[in-house]
């Protein structure tokens, strides 16, 4: 018989959100210097001051994190877990990079044992870096999806994922499915895994250059049959990619139209990168309330361009933040926040630490339409949280010693922190690291 989790009181500094700091400013983040979370049954039951909650719950098991900062578990809104072994590969632009590194690596995932090995390694790396949820592409192989969801189930993680679909001769023959098998495999995996525990299936055309119109149409039909699930793909990452799309779809009004024409544009759509948007694309994405996902380490590593965070969020777009492993050069959402800050600086509008943390937590949860379950420290949400050491290295500690508020104390960890800053990671109330 499964053991019941005890009622646990976690003490430490806490940071939570009442609204988006991108819209409301840093005041939308609430800091408690002596805070507490009451956790029971994998759920946050109460959040408040340590004094109040200790008095109200004298029988709770106390976990005292001292001066460490408790934040929502990081939510990575766009990744490719099969690319774990090839992260930080040298010197290619997107299309060459896919052909030289990505596709040969992904071919190995027909082997379930290999897929299990990489899925477990990947999720353990995420937990080590404080990430508790991820939205990932798999490969064309159903085995790769089974491996990731099985590994996530074993760890209790909320994971969003789907079989990547590619049937066009722009992808290598050894990594192609078909319009029919994409539909059939995706449907079978969706019916097996969606809403099983904390698993959420995501319909996943890689991007329109590697799918035929027939495949996009088939996946659009599947999404129409299951509008409750998310759909993820790529959009306007690089200028040469956009030119490629236009050559393959000469009848399309723009890149976005290659999805829209086949039923792959909607509120539950996640469009990775979205750097070089045309006015019509911008207007349609806003009109349907689609989500965009900013992948800053990938965009700089592969030389894609500078995401317009300020312009898109001021226009009311939902935006998540992501590592884009392995096009991104780090598994860390701290490093991803630092890169987002650097990209925003080049756009002449620096992001406040509250905005960066929000993007990596509640902002990504909102993009995934999961803010009622993850992404914040609030009663009723799943107890996924990360405990940060704000003085994890001598360089960070000497800067924090001069900090006058929580934001000056947190920012050095955002800019210079890594897995050494993650003191503990909790998933559904259980310590995972």
């Amino acid at each position: 018989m499964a053991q019941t989790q005890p009622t646990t009181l976690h003490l430490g500094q806490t940071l939570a959100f009442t609204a988006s700091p991108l819209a409301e400013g840093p005041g939308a983040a609430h800091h408690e210097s002596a805070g507490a979370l009451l956790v029971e049954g994998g759920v946050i039951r109460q959040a408040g001051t340590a004094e109040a909650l200790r008095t109200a719950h004298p029988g709770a098991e106390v976990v005292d994190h001292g001066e460490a900062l408790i934040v929502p578990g990081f939510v990575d809104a766009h990744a490719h877990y099969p690319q774990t072994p090839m992260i930080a590969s040298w010197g290619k632009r997107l299309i060459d990079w896919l052909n030289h590194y990505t596709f040969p690596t992904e071919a190995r995932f027909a082997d379930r044992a290999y897929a299990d090995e990489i899925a477990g390694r990947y999720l353990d790396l995420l937990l080590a870096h404080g990430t508790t949820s991820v939205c990932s592409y798999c490969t064309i192989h159903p085995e790769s999806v089974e491996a990731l969801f099985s590994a996530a189930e074993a760890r209790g993680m909320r994971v969003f994922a789907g079989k990547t679909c590619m049937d066009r001769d722009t992808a290598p023959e050894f990594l192609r499915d078909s319009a029919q098998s994409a539909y059939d495999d995706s449907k079978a995996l969706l019916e097996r895994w969606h809403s099983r525990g904390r698993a959420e299936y995501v319909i996943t055309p890689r991007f329109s250059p590697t799918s035929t119109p027939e495949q996009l149409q088939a996946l659009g039909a599947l999404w129409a049959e299951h509008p409750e699930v998310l759909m993820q793909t790529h959009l306007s990452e690089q200028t040469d990619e956009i030119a490629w799309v236009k050559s393959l779809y000469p009848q399309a009004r723009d890149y976005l139209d290659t999805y829209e024409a086949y039923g792959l544009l909607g509120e539950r759509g996640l469009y990775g990168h979205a750097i070089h948007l045309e006015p019509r694309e911008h207007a349609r994405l806003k009109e349907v309330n689609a989500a965009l996902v900013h992948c800053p380490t990938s965009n700089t590593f592969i030389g894609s361009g500078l995401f317009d965070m300020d312009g898109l969020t001021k226009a009311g777009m939902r935006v998540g933040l992501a590592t884009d492993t392995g096009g991104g050069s780090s598994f860390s959402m701290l490093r991803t926040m630092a890169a987002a800050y650097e990209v925003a600086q080049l756009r002449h509008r620096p992001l406040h630490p509250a905005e960066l943390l929000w993007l990596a937590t509640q902002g990504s949860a909102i993009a995934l339409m999961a803010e009622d379950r993850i992404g914040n420290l609030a009663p009723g949400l799943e107890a996924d949280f990360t405990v940060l050491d704000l003085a994890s290295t001598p360089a960070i500690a000497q800067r924090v010693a001069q900090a006058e508020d929580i934001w000056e104390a947190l920012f050095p960890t955002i800019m210079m922190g890594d897995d050494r800053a993650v003191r503990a990671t909790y998933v559904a109330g259980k310590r995972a690291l």
Side-chain angles (χ1 to χ4, degrees), residues 3-70:
Q3 283 190 324
T4 303
Q5 287 188 53
T7 300
T8 307
L9 192 60
H10 291 267
L11 309 181
Q13 298 190 71
T14 58
L15 262 177
F17 300 99
T18 57
S20 164
L22 284 164
E24 305 293 335
H30 179 70
H31 172 238
E32 287 283 359
S33 58
L37 298 178
L38 185 75
V39 175
E40 184 180 39
V43 174
I44 298 171
R45 300 299 179 187
Q46 288 181 264
T49 67
E51 181 180 11
L53 292 187
R54 290 193 83 155
T55 300
H57 303 278
E61 179 182 307
V62 174
V63 180
D64 191 346
H65 300 287
E67 293 297 312
L69 178 67
I70 304 171

Side-chain angles (χ1 to χ4, degrees), residues 241-433:
E241 170 207 11
I242 295 168
W244 187 30
V245 170
K246 289 181 177 178
S247 72
L248 294 170
Y249 291 86
Q251 78 286 0
R253 291 170 288 181
D254 45 44
Y255 195 157
L256 184 66
D257 197 36
T258 65
Y259 302 124
E260 185 174 359
Y262 303 106
L264 293 171
L265 175 63
E267 184 177 35
R268 288 186 172 269
L270 302 165
Y271 302 89
H273 305 291
I275 299 171
H276 307 285
L277 297 176
E278 296 182 15
R280 194 201 75 88
E281 294 173 311
H282 189 289
R284 285 295 288 139
L285 289 162
K286 177 174 170 50
E287 184 178 356
V288 304
N289 194 32
L292 309 179
V293 187
H294 180 27
C295 307
T297 68
S298 171
N299 297 160
T300 54
F301 185 74
I302 305 178
S304 300
L306 305 177
F307 183 81
D308 184 14
M309 178 68 72
D310 196 44
L312 292 166
T313 55
K314 280 182 177 175
M317 299 281 205
R318 291 186 296 130
V319 175
L321 191 64
T323 62
D324 192 26
T325 308
S329 54
S330 176
F331 297 101
S332 170
M333 290 297 283
L334 290 171
R335 177 68 195 107
T336 303
M337 285 183 256
Y341 175 81
E342 292 161 352
V343 168
Q345 280 281 46
L346 292 170
R347 282 281 193 173
H348 310 297
R349 208 294 252 170
L351 293 168
H352 189 275
E355 296 173 313
L356 294 165
L357 182 64
W358 181 85
L359 285 164
T361 55
Q362 191 176 50
S364 284
I366 290 171
L368 298 172
M369 303 198 83
E371 69 272 22
D372 59 333
R373 287 156 285 163
I374 58 175
N376 204 0
L377 304 180
L381 296 192
E382 295 163 353
D384 292 352
F385 56 92
T386 295
V387 182
L388 295 177
D389 179 355
L390 298 184
S392 61
T393 69
I396 293 172
Q398 60 88 33
R399 176 64 188 93
V400 172
Q402 305 171 61
E404 297 183 359
D405 61 20
I406 184 59
W407 305 119
E408 287 193 2
L410 175 60
F411 191 60
T413 290
I414 290 175
M415 295 308 298
M416 296 190 289
D418 52 30
D419 54 335
R420 289 171 293 178
V422 178
R423 186 175 289 181
T425 304
Y426 287 82
V427 171
K430 294 183 180 179
R431 183 161 181 165
L433 172 76

Side-chain angles (χ1 to χ4, degrees), residues 60-359:
E61 179 182 307
V62 174
V63 180
D64 191 346
H65 300 287
E67 293 297 312
L69 178 67
I70 304 171
V71 299
F74 299 136
V75 180
D76 187 344
H78 178 113
H80 298 259
Y81 97 84
Q83 296 177 21
T84 297
M86 48 156 288
I87 193 169
S89 295
W90 177 85
K92 300 284 183 179
R93 296 280 288 177
L94 175 63
I95 297 165
D96 289 339
W97 193 86
L98 289 171
N99 288 320
H100 190 82
Y101 297 122
T102 302
F103 293 153
T105 298
E106 291 190 1
R108 298 189 64 185
F109 283 77
D111 178 351
R112 176 61 191 270
Y114 181 76
D116 284 337
E117 176 190 350
I118 302 304
R121 180 192 305 171
Y122 173 70
L123 293 182
D124 288 343
L125 283 165
L126 293 192
L127 293 168
H129 286 90
T131 298
T132 53
S133 286
V134 64
C135 186
S136 182
Y137 291 64
C138 300
T139 69
I140 68 160
H141 313 100
E143 295 89 346
S144 71
V145 183
E146 296 280 353
L148 184 61
F149 279 138
S150 296
E153 188 172 63
R155 290 159 178 79
M157 297 173 70
R158 182 166 291 284
V159 164
F160 308 73
K163 165 189 152 70
T164 296
C165 301
M166 301 189 291
D167 72 331
R168 198 165 192 148
D169 60 8
T170 49
E173 186 175 359
F174 59 80
L175 266 187
R176 285 184 226 152
D177 50 12
S178 68
Q180 190 63 52
S181 67
Y183 175 91
D184 292 342
D185 290 346
S186 298
K187 183 177 181 179
L189 290 162
L190 187 160
E191 291 175 347
R192 171 168 163 76
W193 283 105
H194 188 65
S195 295
R196 172 173 151 177
R198 303 186 79 193
E200 301 208 25
Y201 194 80
V202 186
I203 294 169
T204 307
R206 184 180 218 111
F207 60 165
S208 56
T210 51
S211 288
T212 61
E214 292 76 19
Q215 184 174 80
L216 295 178
Q217 187 170 38
L219 294 174
L222 181 61
W223 199 18
E225 294 164 16
H226 293 277
E228 73 279 8
V229 305
L230 298 171
M231 187 285 304
Q232 64 182 345
T233 192
H234 297 79
L235 176 67
S236 299
E237 184 175 359
Q238 293 196 341
T239 54
D240 51 357
E241 170 207 11
I242 295 168
W244 187 30
V245 170
K246 289 181 177 178
S247 72
L248 294 170
Y249 291 86
Q251 78 286 0
R253 291 170 288 181
D254 45 44
Y255 195 157
L256 184 66
D257 197 36
T258 65
Y259 302 124
E260 185 174 359
Y262 303 106
L264 293 171
L265 175 63
E267 184 177 35
R268 288 186 172 269
L270 302 165
Y271 302 89
H273 305 291
I275 299 171
H276 307 285
L277 297 176
E278 296 182 15
R280 194 201 75 88
E281 294 173 311
H282 189 289
R284 285 295 288 139
L285 289 162
K286 177 174 170 50
E287 184 178 356
V288 304
N289 194 32
L292 309 179
V293 187
H294 180 27
C295 307
T297 68
S298 171
N299 297 160
T300 54
F301 185 74
I302 305 178
S304 300
L306 305 177
F307 183 81
D308 184 14
M309 178 68 72
D310 196 44
L312 292 166
T313 55
K314 280 182 177 175
M317 299 281 205
R318 291 186 296 130
V319 175
L321 191 64
T323 62
D324 192 26
T325 308
S329 54
S330 176
F331 297 101
S332 170
M333 290 297 283
L334 290 171
R335 177 68 195 107
T336 303
M337 285 183 256
Y341 175 81
E342 292 161 352
V343 168
Q345 280 281 46
L346 292 170
R347 282 281 193 173
H348 310 297
R349 208 294 252 170
L351 293 168
H352 189 275
E355 296 173 313
L356 294 165
L357 182 64
W358 181 85
L359 285 164

